Amino acid sequence: LVAPNAICQPVTVQLDNSGNGTLTASQVNNGSNDACGIATTTLNNTTFNCSNVSLSGNASDLIISEYVEGSGNEKYIELFNGTGASVNLSNYRLRLYSNGAGTPTNDVLLSGTLANGASIVYRNSAATLNPSAIVNPAVNFNGDDAVALFKVSPAGNVDIFGRIGEDPGTAWLGGGNSTLDKTLRRNSNVTSGVSVN
């Protein structure tokens, strides 16, 4: 007699606009086997809602959650607040470091309040794909320009995209990704930004 071998894989359940989602046994199965074959696979819980959401902890601060370096002037930066509390944006600056500059070439103080779990999108003044995004002069980058989210007090970068003081040519490359003509999104499990080059 040989015991069955249950092999599972992690699965992310995307909740819909109503906060509900479903999962099937086949999505979880990662090659389970038995000497006689697997007759059926079942799950104890197949429906989920917002009360089932589990996070490893709150984010340490705001993060740059999305970077859009599109064609022409289609440039956007999205900030996300996963800190567990509302954040006063007037304690932050969005800084652009063009062409390897070591000091900001554009430095914009933000304003307003960002609720926990919410995001805010800033755009280049000539970007048209998302006209509801907020115009921000620091969103004027190409694939070789660094962008930093700077906290006024206590003073310091809380997230950096690219490398301040470095000109990579046309783009930074790594892990099969490029910062030129790309939309890059942070993984949902990231809870802190890059504060040092």
Side-chain angles (χ1 to χ4, degrees):
L1 209 50
V2 178
N5 188 12
I7 305 171
C8 299
Q9 62 185 347
V11 178
T12 301
V13 176
Q14 297 293 333
L15 302 182
D16 62 22
N17 289 340
S18 301
N20 299 306
T22 59
L23 182 66
T24 64
S26 62
Q27 290 174 282
V28 177
N29 184 23
N30 193 26
S32 300
N33 57 69
D34 183 57
C36 300
I38 301 290
T40 61
T41 54
T42 60
L43 292 173
N44 291 335
N45 192 12
T46 59
T47 59
F48 303 88
N49 58 43
C50 289
S51 67
N52 302 117
V53 173
S54 173
L55 298 174
S56 59
N58 290 330
S60 56
D61 214 315
L62 300 181
I63 60 170
I64 297 172
S65 50
E66 187 168 356
Y67 161 94
V68 178
E69 205 285 294
S71 60
N73 293 306
E74 296 301 330
K75 322 289 185 190
Y76 302 87
I77 286 284
E78 179 187 75
L79 306 180
F80 174 73
N81 177 12
T83 63
S86 293
V87 170
N88 183 352
L89 292 174
S90 64
N91 193 30
Y92 295 85
R93 304 184 80 89
L94 195 58
R95 292 179 165 176
L96 172 65
Y97 296 81
S98 296
N99 303 319
T103 57
T105 52
N106 222 318
D107 186 358
V108 180
L109 182 65
L110 304 180
S111 63
T113 300
L114 187 59
N116 177 54
S119 60
I120 188 167
V121 180
Y122 298 99
R123 68 178 173 97
N124 181 285
S125 61
T128 59
L129 292 177
N130 183 0
S132 64
I134 300 166
V135 172
N136 187 308
V139 186
N140 189 27
F141 48 80
N142 290 309
D144 61 346
D145 301 324
V147 179
L149 179 61
F150 179 83
K151 192 170 189 174
V152 177
S153 179
N157 290 319
V158 294
D159 207 358
I160 303 171
F161 191 91
R163 292 180 191 240
I164 296 169
E166 177 184 310
D167 188 346
T170 56
W172 282 281
L173 305 171
N177 295 312
S178 169
T179 56
L180 178 66
D181 297 334
K182 297 292 180 184
T183 295
L184 301 173
R185 294 184 183 98
R186 270 277 174 48
N187 287 333
S188 60
N189 61 348
V190 174
T191 57
S192 62
V194 176
S195 58
V196 179
N197 266 350

